[in-house]
Amino acid sequence: MAAEPQPKALTRKPLLLNKVEGSQEVVNMAAIVPKEDGVISVSEDRTVRVWLKRDSGQYWPSIYHAMPSPCSCMSFNPETRRLSVGLDNGTISEFILSEDYNKMTLVKNYQAHQSRVMMILFVLEMEWVLSTGQDKHFTWHCSESGQRLGGYRTSAGACGLQFDVETRHVFVGDHSGQVTILKLEQESCSLVTTFKGHTGGVTALCWDPIHRVLFSGSSDHSIIMWDIGGRKGTAIELQGHNDKVQSLSYAHHTRQLISCGADGGIVVWNMDVERQETPEWLDSDSCQKCDQPFFWNFKQMWDSKKIGLRQHHCRKCGKAVCGKCSSKRSSIPLMGFEFKVRVCDSCHESITDEERAPTATFHDSKHNIVHVHFDATRGWLLTSGTDKVIKLWDMTPVVS
């Protein structure tokens, strides 16, 4: 559903700490180096770069490594300093970075996919490398031997990938809008379930292992919060972007979800509130408030000698209503609607000012974001954009 104009940002704003510039093409993914003032980035210009902050206050590459194909994604494990880089040709290249981050050594290559690698996860506990590709396959490899352990064909190319170490469940979100849950064993996998709530492709997934909640972002501009652990099948919708959601991150200590999109928006959602599930839209041949027929209801139009009306839906109760009975707009933050949306007149009267209180803050990054990385220890957020720029933000005013 199309979002309406974005609400004004609240007074607490992220502080722009620095810009990292120099890439010749889009930076598809980047990460903040823990305990260092540095950034690792992979770009469409075929380069892997490690940027360290110099005395001048600017970031300059300590490593500039050219790859044989455009770099599509990466996964960095700080404990082992293992960097896995996904390429456009389907290869995953694995490197070890030196302690001073001035050298990277190639360890091995995985022939993981037949086309562009979309997402990589390195799971230290299992010694597995998980990946998805445009070839509609999810695969996992042993990081010690490099051997392929197994694979699963998805319904479309997949951009979303998350893993739960405790249960060995992997979550795969694909371009058809479907999320697939698989149970992984050492050399086999089994399908647990699939679910679909988006009208567009899934672009990002984020997993909260403590509360057993999965977040999915989509090209349909929305985010859905799936209650996996409660097994109730609840799906709560979050509407806060005017363009496709590109990346998600989660601040576990404060229970805040950070979403970024192609609209340049950084939205920080307070997930420590009791949210309400959005109702199913009801079907009806006439307005469920005034009983006026909708334009396809020819019999009632003929019988009542009235012209049929266009059908709308109240976002709060889900009833099918005409425009006259839903002339009002209201935000409903606890249902995830931070924008003003259509509600029927009776629901509009029942919504209190307290219920309209925002549960998210909105900020403009001033670039089309393709990826984010959040460093919870310092409260820093990294955004990389189509403008080839990496921005570092201090989020402590917002997420502390």
Side-chain angles (χ1 to χ4, degrees), residues 192-207:
V192 177
T193 188
T194 60
F195 46 89
K196 187 172 181 177
H198 291 288
T199 57
V202 174
T203 51
L205 293 179
C206 190
W207 173 242

Side-chain angles (χ1 to χ4, degrees), residues 270-337:
N270 178 13
M271 302 312 298
D272 198 22
V273 294
E274 194 66 35
R275 293 187 176 273
Q276 302 166 18
E277 192 170 12
T278 48
E280 291 285 337
W281 284 4
L282 302 177
D283 292 324
S284 179
D285 290 328
S286 57
C287 175
Q288 293 181 300
K289 292 293 181 179
C290 68
D291 203 37
Q292 286 266 49
F294 293 132
F295 62 80
W296 61 83
N297 189 350
F298 299 112
K299 183 179 185 306
Q300 191 176 342
M301 281 193 289
W302 176 264
D303 292 343
S304 62
K305 303 296 187 289
K306 291 178 181 177
I307 298 174
L309 303 175
R310 183 182 172 191
Q311 183 191 55
H312 301 283
H313 283 91
C314 172
R315 302 303 191 267
K316 191 172 193 303
C317 67
K319 287 183 178 178
V321 289
C322 67
K324 186 178 178 182
C325 294
S326 59
S327 60
K328 305 288 177 52
R329 301 288 185 277
S330 176
S331 59
I332 321 172
L334 293 181
M335 281 188 168
F337 297 113

Side-chain angles (χ1 to χ4, degrees), residues 146-190:
Q147 178 186 353
R148 179 184 167 120
L149 299 175
Y152 182 87
R153 183 173 175 82
T154 55
S155 57
C159 281
L161 181 63
Q162 291 286 287
F163 182 72
D164 182 60
V165 174
E166 183 183 341
T167 62
R168 294 190 181 186
H169 284 153
V170 65
F171 306 94
V172 182
D174 64 45
H175 290 317
S176 74
Q178 180 172 286
V179 177
T180 302
I181 304 181
L182 303 169
K183 169 83 170 183
L184 295 193
E185 302 298 343
Q186 187 60 28
E187 296 185 5
S188 66
C189 73
S190 55

